[in-house]
């Protein structure tokens, strides 16, 4: 698979950090949650959340584990993307926020197509809604496993259709080597997304404890 | 392993949500990140972050995959914890924020002891720093895999030492059944932490694609 970029993600850099009043923020907000603990005591907790969640929906977005079944071994699609909150380039899976009136599966296939150019041929699995950091924020997603049929004519020359402010480079690694490949990338100075690293942790644990 | 609770996590509930100016928040803040994109264009991104990260440190906390090697099968420790940002009880691993002058390993063993009562006997693996939701926030952790020796006298009757505002119930499941156990818990109305669910996703993917 050809990597693709309008500009290298590694070339972006942070120039300034400004404390922001919640009311000045467009994409996110802070809330105080008042709650009653299990013993009946009133308590407060703080919460960060996205302002973009579709009204009536309970999910922010999707992550896509895109699987390529090749004769040389099963591969997974990864991305390099500059992430301003980290001040560097992060290793992630294709992902994105839900559009109105979209199912999780539709969102996964749309984001996969937009970000990698691939048509997803078969949805293998769709996780429940999972919460990224539930002591801190309510952001969530569903992780969708999608197989890509490389014999499909539409997948012969995949061309991403990125937004004007997206700078994403796609690449693939052997799925069985995901833990070691992520370690190498981290040593090279890339940041690691918890979701992709924890899938790798699961693969590694299955191996360590001979779960099969 | 006996479950433990000062009060059932399921008994807590949200009573109010108040929009919060960032300057009124104690534990978190919003920032505007100004950055230059790979093509040289000035852009803004918003970021939520914790105010609690130890000065000079680049990690917020740890998650602990606590492994019990039993004759009946390898088990992993899970927790039920009320999470105000979700308005319900979430299934997670033992976890916590770093104290000053603490290594990741020390933090993992301390949090494991405090939250479950168990002495961790052997640190099997320590992940790189992983970012929970890098398009939204900079919160991060290291996932530490710890084995617990059940023959150790100190692990015969584990008693958690919870903070006054912590309501945690510990339980264990067979590691090989983690994907199915999480599905069952989600069907029962529990929320799922992305980190533990994605470890399960990795186990399931290793099984599906016969990675061993």
């Amino acid at each position: 698979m050809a990597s693709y970029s309008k500009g290298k993600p590694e070339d972006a850099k942070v120039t300034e950090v400004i404390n922001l009043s919640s009311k000045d923020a467009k994409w996110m907000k802070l809330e105080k949650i008042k709650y009653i603990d299990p013993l009946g005591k009133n308590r407060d907790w703080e919460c960060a959340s996205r302002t973009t969640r579709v009204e009536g929906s309970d999910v922010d977005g999707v992550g896509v584990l895109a699987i390529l079944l090749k004769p040389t071994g099963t591969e997974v699609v990864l991305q390099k993307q500059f992430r301003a909150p980290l001040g560097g380039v992060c290793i992630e899976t294709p992902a994105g926020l839900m559009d109105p009136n979209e199912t999780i599966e539709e969102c996964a296939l749309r984001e996969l197509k937009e970000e990698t150019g691939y048509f997803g041929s078969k949805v293998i699995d769709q996780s429940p809604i999972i919460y990224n950091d539930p002591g801190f924020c309510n952001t969530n997603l569903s992780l969708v496993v999608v197989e890509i049929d490389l014999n499909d004519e539409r997948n012969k020359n995949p061309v991403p259709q990125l937004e004007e402010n997206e700078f994403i480079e796609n690449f693939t690694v052997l799925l069985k080597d995901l833990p070691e490949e992520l370690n190498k990338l981290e040593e090279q100075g890339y940041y690691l997304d918890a979701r992709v690293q924890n899938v790798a942790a699961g693969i590694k644990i299955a191996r360590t404890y001979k779960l099969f």
Side-chain angles (χ1 to χ4, degrees), chain A:
Chain A
M1 177 182 171
S3 74
Y4 174 87
S5 181
K6 295 180 298 187
K8 281 179 69 63
E10 289 86 349
D11 292 342
K13 63 180 177 200
V14 169
T15 52
E16 199 177 351
V17 176
I18 299 164
N19 280 316
L20 199 64
S21 165
S22 188
K23 66 182 183 306
D24 301 327
K26 182 176 175 191
W27 306 101
M28 53 188 68
K29 62 184 173 182
L30 296 182
E31 293 167 320
K32 182 179 284 187
I33 315 274
K34 300 185 86 67
Y35 70 101
I36 298 172
D37 79 14
L39 300 181
K41 183 169 175 179
N42 287 295
R43 294 183 182 272
D44 295 343
W45 197 273
E46 293 172 8
C47 172
S49 57
R50 292 186 182 274
T51 55
T52 51
R53 190 179 293 177
V54 174
E55 192 160 340
S57 170
D58 52 6
V59 57
D60 287 314
V62 301
V64 183
L65 271 185
I67 304 289
L68 306 177
L69 300 171
K70 292 188 179 176
T72 47
T74 301
E75 295 181 0
V76 61
V77 179
L78 298 180
Q79 298 186 329
K80 293 177 180 175
Q81 181 161 16
F82 176 77
R83 289 301 194 177
L86 316 187
V89 176
C90 193
I91 307 298
E92 309 177 17
T93 66
L97 299 180
M98 302 274 285
D99 280 348
N101 302 316
E102 197 174 39
T103 65
I104 285 168
E105 185 170 320
E106 287 164 352
C107 180
L109 295 175
R110 176 181 57 73
E111 287 287 351
L112 178 67
K113 182 74 179 68
E114 287 175 7
E115 293 193 349
T116 72
Y118 279 127
F119 283 91
S121 313
K122 197 172 159 191
V123 173
I124 299 293
D125 202 8
Q126 178 184 316
S127 83
I129 298 173
I130 55 180
Y131 291 83
N132 297 309
D133 193 2
F136 178 78
C137 59
N138 70 4
T139 71
N140 64 25
L141 55 76
S142 171
L143 185 73
V144 182
V145 184
V146 180
E147 284 182 4
I148 293 163
D149 179 2
L150 293 172
N151 295 317
D152 187 322
E153 277 303 317
R154 291 170 297 187
N155 286 328
K156 293 297 182 194
N157 183 28
V159 178
Q161 298 145 315
L162 298 173
E163 309 269 347
E164 174 257 349
N165 65 343
E166 281 181 320
F167 299 89
I168 293 172
E169 204 171 290
N170 295 299
F171 63 107
T172 63
V173 299
L174 282 172
L175 188 56
K176 74 176 176 58
D177 296 338
L178 184 60
E180 291 72 28
E181 295 288 344
L182 292 177
N183 280 347
K184 273 190 241 169
L185 288 158
E186 199 264 346
E187 281 164 16
Q188 290 164 26
Y190 293 102
Y191 294 92
L192 301 183
D193 179 280
R195 294 155 297 192
V196 66
Q197 167 64 26
N198 281 359
V199 170
I203 292 172
K204 198 169 171 184
I205 279 165
R207 192 192 290 164
T208 303
Y209 293 103
K210 300 180 172 57
L211 297 184
F212 309 105

